[in-house]
Amino acid sequence: MAQSKGTVVLAYSGGLDTSCILVWLKEQGYDVVAYLANIGQKEDFEAARRKALALGAKKVYIEDISREFVEKFIWPAVQANALYEDRYLLGTALARPCIARGLVGIAQQEGAQHIAHGATGKGNDQVRFELSCYALCPKIKVVAPWRLPEFYQRFPGRPELMDYAKKHGIPVPVTPQTPWSMDENLMHISYEAGILENPKNQAPPGLYTKTCDPANSPDTPDVLEIQFERGVPVRVTNTGDGATRWSALELFVYLNDIAAKHGVGRIDIVENRFIGMKSRGIYETPAGTILYHAHLDIEAFTMDREVRKIKQGLSLKFSELVYNGFWHSPECEFLRECIGRSQEPVVGTVRLSVFKGHVYILGRESPRSLYNEELVSMNVQGDYEPADATGFININSLRLKEYHRLQSKVTEKQDE
């Protein structure tokens, strides 16, 4: 029996990797406390508790952090219009610092000096988990088995893990019929690895689990009205059946259901991982897709043009920081404060249609609107003098005239 190395809190999912890691940590001499975060994934949590205890966990903590996830992590991303590399809505990247807070909290409660996770040595999640843990508890020590030669040389692939699981009586749900990995939370589900590693391969028909195939979705749209306060959705109403949701968690779950019914939120992309390699990921982000389009619209309606240009730059940096695992960094905290301040005028209601895989904006209204119908109208002059545009154009054309005048001189000299 290995000498006792103290207590380690393991970020446990109940899947193949973390189940094998739990047993392996015990072999190394650790007392294992399993921490399972309920962050909106479909999971039999009590079955996972029984499984962890049967595998030798000293304690098992199951914590529902879904509401915290929505209010403290998803809402700031909605306010930011956060989008990594123009397409990824950051579902996994937002969940990791939220889970890490719970993980560190249990470690401190248990007096544990170590935390452990099942993230691979090639992915982003190892960075996200560990940067968050070190920020929240600088003295914590991380055990990352997939970066330890004694672990990854013993388990170079999935077959070796399966053999280890069978030898130690570890029941696992992974089968050869589903040769890809999945990670789910309230905001999204991701699929990667296995047959998906060849970016040419189309996603198999049975891969998607969170949304309906748009081709088989209803032939009648759902028309929703989403109300925002300071850039945060506070109410959603279905104009068809009158269904209304107010609280953050219930509102988000409802939008997930509506979007999923109409096949909204599917993307298949190749992205740049923080550690330097490209990877292929397939994502379903139903509610997040609706809110991205709705917030983008109400923000453009209520925010000053020049403020919005600056805010767009902040959002780009915010998305990069979140993706790379720097949620708890001082620069990310600063950006959240700045973006939050920009959202004061983002108030109003967006009317939209959800239909056949798409979100269509139908209209918007706001008491803070900067849109002046009389000023912009082609039928009413309003408080605007068209003749003033002549001077505006002349001033702006001066730079262009001078640039091309110089270019003409250079070309003439080259032709001599």
Side-chain angles (χ1 to χ4, degrees), residues 18 73 174 211 253 335 347 360 379 402:
T18 55
F73 294 85
V174 177
T211 59
V253 169
L335 284 178
V347 176
Y360 300 96
N379 299 316
E402 286 301 296

PDB file of all heavy atoms in Angstrom, residues 18 73 174 211 253 335 347 360 379 402:
ATOM      1  N   THR A  18     -12.448  10.035 -15.126  1.00  0.00           N
ATOM      2  CA  THR A  18     -12.390  10.400 -13.707  1.00  0.00           C
ATOM      3  C   THR A  18     -12.670   9.211 -12.795  1.00  0.00           C
ATOM      4  O   THR A  18     -12.207   9.187 -11.650  1.00  0.00           O
ATOM      5  CB  THR A  18     -13.349  11.561 -13.379  1.00  0.00           C
ATOM      6  OG1 THR A  18     -14.681  11.225 -13.784  1.00  0.00           O
ATOM      7  CG2 THR A  18     -12.900  12.838 -14.066  1.00  0.00           C
ATOM      8  N   PHE A  73     -21.804  33.973 -14.471  1.00  0.00           N
ATOM      9  CA  PHE A  73     -20.897  33.663 -15.574  1.00  0.00           C
ATOM     10  C   PHE A  73     -21.552  33.849 -16.946  1.00  0.00           C
ATOM     11  O   PHE A  73     -20.971  34.498 -17.819  1.00  0.00           O
ATOM     12  CB  PHE A  73     -20.358  32.235 -15.429  1.00  0.00           C
ATOM     13  CG  PHE A  73     -19.467  32.056 -14.225  1.00  0.00           C
ATOM     14  CD1 PHE A  73     -20.002  31.783 -12.974  1.00  0.00           C
ATOM     15  CD2 PHE A  73     -18.097  32.194 -14.343  1.00  0.00           C
ATOM     16  CE1 PHE A  73     -19.180  31.651 -11.860  1.00  0.00           C
ATOM     17  CE2 PHE A  73     -17.267  32.065 -13.241  1.00  0.00           C
ATOM     18  CZ  PHE A  73     -17.815  31.794 -11.993  1.00  0.00           C
ATOM     19  N   VAL A 174     -19.090   4.529 -21.670  1.00  0.00           N
ATOM     20  CA  VAL A 174     -18.510   4.699 -22.993  1.00  0.00           C
ATOM     21  C   VAL A 174     -18.466   3.359 -23.722  1.00  0.00           C
ATOM     22  O   VAL A 174     -18.060   2.352 -23.163  1.00  0.00           O
ATOM     23  CB  VAL A 174     -17.085   5.283 -22.891  1.00  0.00           C
ATOM     24  CG1 VAL A 174     -16.459   5.385 -24.282  1.00  0.00           C
ATOM     25  CG2 VAL A 174     -17.127   6.645 -22.233  1.00  0.00           C
ATOM     26  N   THR A 211     -30.326  19.441 -29.392  1.00  0.00           N
ATOM     27  CA  THR A 211     -31.235  20.164 -30.289  1.00  0.00           C
ATOM     28  C   THR A 211     -31.814  19.225 -31.342  1.00  0.00           C
ATOM     29  O   THR A 211     -31.204  18.241 -31.728  1.00  0.00           O
ATOM     30  CB  THR A 211     -30.509  21.309 -31.020  1.00  0.00           C
ATOM     31  OG1 THR A 211     -29.426  20.767 -31.786  1.00  0.00           O
ATOM     32  CG2 THR A 211     -29.975  22.339 -30.040  1.00  0.00           C
ATOM     33  N   VAL A 253     -33.451  28.123 -18.922  1.00  0.00           N
ATOM     34  CA  VAL A 253     -33.913  26.762 -19.234  1.00  0.00           C
ATOM     35  C   VAL A 253     -35.029  26.808 -20.273  1.00  0.00           C
ATOM     36  O   VAL A 253     -35.071  25.986 -21.205  1.00  0.00           O
ATOM     37  CB  VAL A 253     -34.380  26.041 -17.948  1.00  0.00           C
ATOM     38  CG1 VAL A 253     -35.116  24.747 -18.284  1.00  0.00           C
ATOM     39  CG2 VAL A 253     -33.193  25.744 -17.043  1.00  0.00           C
ATOM     40  N   LEU A 335     -12.193  44.137 -17.157  1.00  0.00           N
ATOM     41  CA  LEU A 335     -13.037  44.148 -18.344  1.00  0.00           C
ATOM     42  C   LEU A 335     -14.502  43.938 -17.989  1.00  0.00           C
ATOM     43  O   LEU A 335     -15.393  44.580 -18.572  1.00  0.00           O
ATOM     44  CB  LEU A 335     -12.581  43.069 -19.328  1.00  0.00           C
ATOM     45  CG  LEU A 335     -11.320  43.373 -20.125  1.00  0.00           C
ATOM     46  CD1 LEU A 335     -10.969  42.196 -21.020  1.00  0.00           C
ATOM     47  CD2 LEU A 335     -11.501  44.615 -20.973  1.00  0.00           C
ATOM     48  N   VAL A 347     -31.428  48.755 -22.225  1.00  0.00           N
ATOM     49  CA  VAL A 347     -32.728  48.473 -21.606  1.00  0.00           C
ATOM     50  C   VAL A 347     -33.763  48.403 -22.709  1.00  0.00           C
ATOM     51  O   VAL A 347     -33.758  49.233 -23.629  1.00  0.00           O
ATOM     52  CB  VAL A 347     -33.106  49.596 -20.614  1.00  0.00           C
ATOM     53  CG1 VAL A 347     -34.499  49.365 -20.043  1.00  0.00           C
ATOM     54  CG2 VAL A 347     -32.072  49.712 -19.509  1.00  0.00           C
ATOM     55  N   TYR A 360     -34.643  35.051 -35.955  1.00  0.00           N
ATOM     56  CA  TYR A 360     -34.945  36.212 -36.785  1.00  0.00           C
ATOM     57  C   TYR A 360     -35.433  37.358 -35.897  1.00  0.00           C
ATOM     58  O   TYR A 360     -36.410  37.207 -35.161  1.00  0.00           O
ATOM     59  CB  TYR A 360     -36.040  35.885 -37.801  1.00  0.00           C
ATOM     60  CG  TYR A 360     -35.688  34.760 -38.750  1.00  0.00           C
ATOM     61  CD1 TYR A 360     -36.110  33.446 -38.496  1.00  0.00           C
ATOM     62  CD2 TYR A 360     -34.949  34.996 -39.900  1.00  0.00           C
ATOM     63  CE1 TYR A 360     -35.804  32.409 -39.358  1.00  0.00           C
ATOM     64  CE2 TYR A 360     -34.638  33.961 -40.782  1.00  0.00           C
ATOM     65  CZ  TYR A 360     -35.065  32.670 -40.506  1.00  0.00           C
ATOM     66  OH  TYR A 360     -34.746  31.653 -41.358  1.00  0.00           O
ATOM     67  N   ASN A 379     -39.065  61.201 -45.238  1.00  0.00           N
ATOM     68  CA  ASN A 379     -40.247  62.001 -45.531  1.00  0.00           C
ATOM     69  C   ASN A 379     -40.344  63.266 -44.691  1.00  0.00           C
ATOM     70  O   ASN A 379     -41.181  64.127 -44.963  1.00  0.00           O
ATOM     71  CB  ASN A 379     -41.511  61.151 -45.305  1.00  0.00           C
ATOM     72  CG  ASN A 379     -41.539  59.941 -46.213  1.00  0.00           C
ATOM     73  OD1 ASN A 379     -41.237  60.036 -47.400  1.00  0.00           O
ATOM     74  ND2 ASN A 379     -41.892  58.791 -45.649  1.00  0.00           N
ATOM     75  N   GLU A 402      -5.777  63.794 -50.969  1.00  0.00           N
ATOM     76  CA  GLU A 402      -4.344  63.971 -50.777  1.00  0.00           C
ATOM     77  C   GLU A 402      -3.592  62.649 -50.924  1.00  0.00           C
ATOM     78  O   GLU A 402      -2.512  62.591 -51.513  1.00  0.00           O
ATOM     79  CB  GLU A 402      -4.062  64.588 -49.397  1.00  0.00           C
ATOM     80  CG  GLU A 402      -4.405  66.059 -49.305  1.00  0.00           C
ATOM     81  CD  GLU A 402      -3.620  66.858 -50.340  1.00  0.00           C
ATOM     82  OE1 GLU A 402      -2.382  66.908 -50.251  1.00  0.00           O
ATOM     83  OE2 GLU A 402      -4.257  67.406 -51.278  1.00  0.00           O
TER      84      GLU A 402
END
